[in-house]
Amino acid sequence: MAAAPGAFSLREVLAAFQACVTEQREVLLGPYLQGWRGLVRFLNGLGAIFSFISKDAVTKIQIMESYCGGEQQEEYHTLQSMVSYELSRGLVDLQRRSSHPDSGCRTILRLHRALRWLQLFLEGLRTAQQDASTSAICTDSYNASLAAYHPWVVRKAAVVAFCALPSRNAFLEVMNVGGPEEAVEMLGNALPHIRDVYGITQELYEQHHLLNLP
Ligand SMILES: CCCCCCCCCCCCC/C=C/[C@@H](O)[C@H](COP(=O)(O)O)NC(=O)CCCCCCCCCCCCCCC
């Protein structure tokens, strides 16, 4: 079953991550942020209990959009150009947040860590049994990724919110990609692109010692 015309489908959202990587293996920030916008829209549709998560994601997307549409927008065309621009101009707080608390580098790092959660979650969702618990898949993915960077109170609130997630099949249904088999197939096609974006970003941040920005 195809998604209704005009309906919001996660297929396009995940396709944005495919459009991120150029032939030169650079990551385009436009489609990257577009992908995140779509994910947040999807998250909002899951219920108000997730709004503390989507608010934080929106704040970070907006910070990035203001750079990408601002005076120095050329420098924010790709992740690579952003890193070299901000580092060469001393626009990144490396030890503690002070004069540049919202640099592009630290803001993308937060989304990058969340992308690892997304990758693990989608992999879990794709390979789990039909009757698996989405909230257990989500909790496991979170504990194996983002949780390490969050204080206790955020971890608690996140795990409580995950309990509100629908069952695996209902979740695949709200993705609006078609039936569960089609959704699983779409995830199989989308995941290599998400992994690719994650891998390129991770390598770039490692090279420049940016993985622990405050
Ligand atoms: C489907 C269930 C969705 C669960 C989402 C899992 C992620 C849980 C993250 C909990 C974040 C809580 C909010 C606060 C975060 C900040 O403290 C923290 C650090 O920022 P700071 O250094 O500026 O303080 N921020 C972050 O780590 C960034 C979090 C960004 C989360 C974006 C989550 C978007 C989720 C999109 C879900 C779409 C699911 C699609 C599946 C088919």
Side-chain angles (χ1 to χ4, degrees):
M1 191 179 67
F8 174 67
S9 164
L10 211 63
R11 194 189 292 277
E12 286 77 43
V13 172
L14 296 184
F17 290 101
Q18 177 171 358
C20 282
V21 180
T22 69
E23 277 180 21
Q24 291 73 36
R25 316 249 334 124
E26 296 193 317
V27 176
L28 297 169
L29 285 174
Y32 185 92
L33 297 173
Q34 200 190 323
W36 276 111
R37 275 268 177 214
L39 288 171
V40 164
R41 198 172 148 205
F42 178 80
L43 185 63
N44 286 335
L46 291 176
I49 193 164
F50 296 101
S51 60
F52 76 105
I53 301 175
S54 63
K55 267 191 197 135
D56 185 70
V58 166
T59 302
K60 290 176 170 49
I61 295 166
Q62 282 172 342
I63 292 171
M64 289 314 304
E65 284 175 345
S66 74
Y67 290 130
C68 292
E71 278 180 16
Q72 303 298 332
Q73 53 181 272
E74 313 266 284
E75 313 286 357
Y76 288 86
H77 186 55
T78 68
L79 194 61
Q80 287 72 7
S81 60
M82 175 192 84
V83 166
S84 51
Y85 168 70
E86 289 195 343
L87 286 179
S88 65
R89 300 292 172 98
L91 297 174
V92 184
D93 286 343
L94 299 170
Q95 304 301 334
R96 57 188 169 79
R97 288 179 92 186
S98 52
S99 43
H100 305 288
D102 291 325
S103 66
C105 287
R106 75 89 62 189
T107 305
I108 288 287
L109 177 63
R110 269 58 185 177
L111 294 176
H112 169 67
R113 289 169 177 166
L115 197 67
R116 173 77 182 148
W117 161 80
L118 182 73
Q119 183 195 320
L120 296 177
F121 176 62
L122 297 181
E123 264 163 11
L125 204 58
R126 187 177 77 88
T127 53
Q129 303 280 335
Q130 276 193 21
D131 56 352
S133 150
T134 310
S135 76
I137 299 170
C138 191
T139 305
D140 289 349
S141 321
Y142 176 73
N143 285 337
S145 56
L146 266 180
Y149 306 102
H150 290 162
W152 182 87
V153 61
V154 170
R155 292 203 303 269
K156 277 281 154 217
V159 172
V160 168
F162 298 160
C163 292
L165 288 171
S167 70
R168 176 178 178 272
N169 269 7
F171 193 90
L172 292 176
E173 202 66 47
V174 290
M175 282 164 54
N176 208 3
V177 170
E181 296 81 17
E182 272 175 89
V184 164
E185 190 192 333
M186 184 278 287
L187 289 178
N189 295 331
L191 268 162
H193 302 293
I194 294 174
R195 251 182 248 130
D196 208 22
V197 172
Y198 181 84
I200 296 172
T201 310
Q202 182 73 10
E203 201 178 307
L204 180 73
Y205 270 58
E206 246 167 25
Q207 252 171 27
H208 293 279
H209 310 289
L210 298 175
L211 285 169
N212 293 308
L213 291 179

